[in-house]
Amino acid sequence: MPFSNLAKSDRAGKKKIIENKNKTPKSIVGGPINRLKPGSVVPRNIASVRDDGEQDDEENTWENRALLKPDDQLNLSEAELKEEITRILKANNPNAPQNIVRFNYKEKMYKLIPHVEQLAIHFQMDGNLIPIDSEEAKRQMMKREDEAEEESETVNVETETVKPAEEEDEEGNKRAVGRKEKKPANQFNFSDRASQTYNNPSRDRGEMTEPPPRANFSSNATQWEIFDAYIEDYEQQQKSKEKKPSHKAAEKPKAKKTNLSDQGDEMLKVAKSAKILERMVNQNTFDEIALDFKYYEDDADDFRDQEGTLLPLWKFSCDKAKKLSVTSLTWNKKYTDLFAVAYGSYDFLKQAKGLILLYSLKNPSYPEFIYYTESGVMSLDFHSDYPHLIAAGFYDGSVAVYNTAESTQIAKYSSSARNGKHTDPVWQVKWQKDDLDGNMNFFSVSSDGRVVCWTLAKSELLFTDVVTLSLENTLDGPEGAIVAALGCGTCFDFNKQQDQIFLVCTEEGKVHKCSKSYTNQFLDTFDAHHMAVYSVAWNSYHPKIYLTCSADWTVKIWDHTCKDPLFTYDLGSAVGDAAWAPYSSTVFAAVTADGKVFVFDLNINKYEPICEQVVVQKKKTKLTHIAFNSKYPIIIVGDDRGNIISLKLSPNLRKKPKEKKGQEAPKGPEFEIPKLDKILSLVRDPEASTKQ
């Protein structure tokens, strides 16, 4: 169609629109629908009417315009046009890879990853708004009000304050006009809360080392040099064959000695690390026992009538001491987890070599130190100031001092027949304070009736007889001569407050009170028991009270100013040992030959034990010794089969005074001595106690 005809048709269309505007609005009437061939021009006869009655002139602009068909458009039938095609929208990312494989080290092959991340973020922005009703918003508003009040106080009083204009919002609330309200900061995205740490400046440090020495070596290998080397090697082989076998036998021990020395040096290097690893393994092995030792408290004590129990913990045993008896137990004064055990035999006809073992609670499976002796060990004692020194008394009458800091089996000091050793077994040894010259010394008692003080000189032991245990009865010798009878000493103990005074017990059942200053006579003598006295011990707090135990089945408590015992307890079997508790002046324990442990507390029950328990597995096993730990609530007991059993005291066996509000619990001798005196006063003056 030419351009002029198009212009005329546009003008005619506009005239029709103007004429239709002057007329009243009518309903839309569609003309007859004519089917046209594809590609022909469709005349537009439909006029749209707006709500206000005006026709839409923009639609008429498209009138008489041709519809163009793309070249690649498909020719579809009516059925194909009416067919509905369903499209499903999925959340999967079309760009995400679907064939990612990774190496699986477990199956040793590449495997397809089934799940791939499908999340695609198109837009993300962190907000800085929080709800105005939240606690964080209220806190920030209050903070701003406080800051505004502080600023208003700094303003001069003479300046006139202008009240901001107010207007009402839709809800009727007044709000200030012209003031910009700050938005409360977001508590989850608030940049002012960030902090930065100072980065230390890096420093470069370099060192120069001397280069290793180098040397150039060069040589030529020819056929005749190789031949000469083979000839020399052949001649050496012939010479070694011609040597006598005696020389070979002499050379072999030398090689073995050198190998053993090398092995010893290597073992010393790893000894400390191996010991630490051994303790770690044992801690894992005995984990339940370690937890009981530290945390377990028997709750059943709350329902018992002031009675307690003993919880078995570790059992210490060594294959090398199976046929020996435990003859002495002693704790180290400084290292409270370390204790020493003496092994020997109480049978005169079955004497053998002895053994000294040092065990630690950290390693119950094997001893820390082992010392072999030619004679049975009957007594031990640790030095209080030098915990590496151990004094020992033997069945053959000799004494010795071992130093655990030295890696040697030989005693540092030992006595012999030349320097006054005992002629009978040494039943007990005790360290004492240094003498006036600053030399260390210890005492020993033996069945030969002598109490000897041994002083450690530079290279030898010097002895001094302190007391000779003589009996009142005399013996008739040959030709009418009178021979003084000597008592057989079994045990002794020094007073805790006055170390000049000590007690010596004998096999005849007597207790002699002696002094270091008076060596010719006894201060006093007590007819304590009918049989041999096995142990005597001063009270840990009270300077006048001590206890004794004997083979006559009894344990007695004495006041050294009185001839008669204050308390007497019959335990039904021979009492091997007894000891005071270090934490109370009224608690003591004893072991008997029938395998029982007795614990007494005079403050709770003056007549019966608060604990009586069998701790051995076999009926014929005899308990020989007992020792309290100074720090932990445990005791150790030894038997005649070489076993040591550790036992934990239940809360009723170690009751302490109750703490008052705002005050510490009373401790020490100031409290323990009056507590024991109060109990003893009921025994000394029973009439006065009944009157009260």
Side-chain angles (χ1 to χ4, degrees), residues 567-582:
F567 295 97
T568 301
Y569 301 98
D570 190 347
L571 304 186
S573 182
V575 185
D577 194 8
W580 290 99

Side-chain angles (χ1 to χ4, degrees), residues 39 77 90 119 246 328 338 345 427 477 479 494 535 660 687:
S77 62
K90 296 182 180 180
L119 179 63
S246 60
S328 181
L338 187 69
S345 178
W427 296 113
E479 298 179 359
F494 291 83
S535 178
K660 297 181 180 180
E687 296 179 359

Side-chain angles (χ1 to χ4, degrees), residues 67 125 176 198 208 249 304 330-331 420 428 542 554 573 629 654 661 664 676:
L67 297 177
M125 183 177 69
Y198 177 73
M208 296 182 63
R304 297 190 182 98
T330 179
W331 287 95
Q428 195 166 3
H542 205 293
T554 60
S573 182
N629 190 288
R654 45 188 170 91
K661 292 183 178 180
E664 295 183 358
L676 184 56

Side-chain angles (χ1 to χ4, degrees), residues 495-508:
N495 195 292
K496 302 294 188 295
Q497 284 75 21
Q498 302 174 357
D499 58 353
Q500 293 291 331
I501 298 175
F502 63 95
L503 300 171
V504 183
C505 303
T506 64
E507 291 184 0
E508 293 78 23

Side-chain angles (χ1 to χ4, degrees), residues 183-333:
K183 295 180 181 180
N186 188 355
Q187 59 178 340
F188 302 107
N189 184 17
F190 190 42
S191 61
D192 290 348
R193 293 190 179 182
S195 62
Q196 293 184 353
T197 57
Y198 177 73
N199 295 328
N200 295 324
S202 59
R203 297 180 180 178
D204 297 335
R205 181 177 179 181
E207 293 184 0
M208 296 182 63
T209 59
E210 296 182 359
R214 295 182 297 175
N216 296 326
F217 176 78
S218 61
S219 178
N220 294 323
T222 57
Q223 292 182 355
W224 50 86
E225 289 180 352
I226 296 172
F227 177 78
D228 293 341
Y230 274 107
I231 292 299
E232 290 180 2
D233 183 56
Y234 178 75
E235 290 177 354
Q236 290 179 0
Q237 292 179 3
Q238 292 297 326
K239 288 180 181 179
S240 61
K241 290 180 180 179
E242 292 175 358
K243 289 182 179 179
K244 296 180 181 180
S246 60
H247 293 287
K248 291 183 180 180
E251 288 178 358
K252 286 182 180 179
K254 292 182 180 179
K256 288 183 179 179
K257 288 181 180 179
T258 54
N259 293 334
L260 290 174
S261 62
D262 295 340
Q263 291 178 0
D265 295 339
E266 293 177 358
M267 289 297 293
L268 289 175
K269 294 178 182 178
V270 299
K272 187 176 181 180
S273 301
K275 183 174 288 188
I276 294 173
L277 287 174
E278 184 182 15
R279 290 185 177 183
M280 293 170 64
V281 172
N282 279 285
Q283 187 174 0
N284 294 332
T285 305
F286 303 100
D287 182 50
E288 295 181 359
I289 298 178
L291 293 176
D292 290 342
F293 162 72
K294 194 166 186 180
Y295 300 109
Y296 179 77
E297 298 294 348
D298 193 357
D299 296 333
D301 278 13
D302 298 336
F303 306 99
R304 297 190 182 98
D305 187 14
Q306 296 180 344
E307 294 182 355
T309 57
L310 297 172
L311 176 67
L313 296 176
W314 299 282
K315 183 179 180 181
F316 301 86
S317 61
C318 185
D319 295 337
K320 300 173 183 177
K322 277 188 175 180
K323 297 182 180 180
L324 299 175
S325 300
V326 176
T327 55
S328 181
L329 290 174
T330 179
W331 287 95
N332 195 297
K333 276 74 173 178

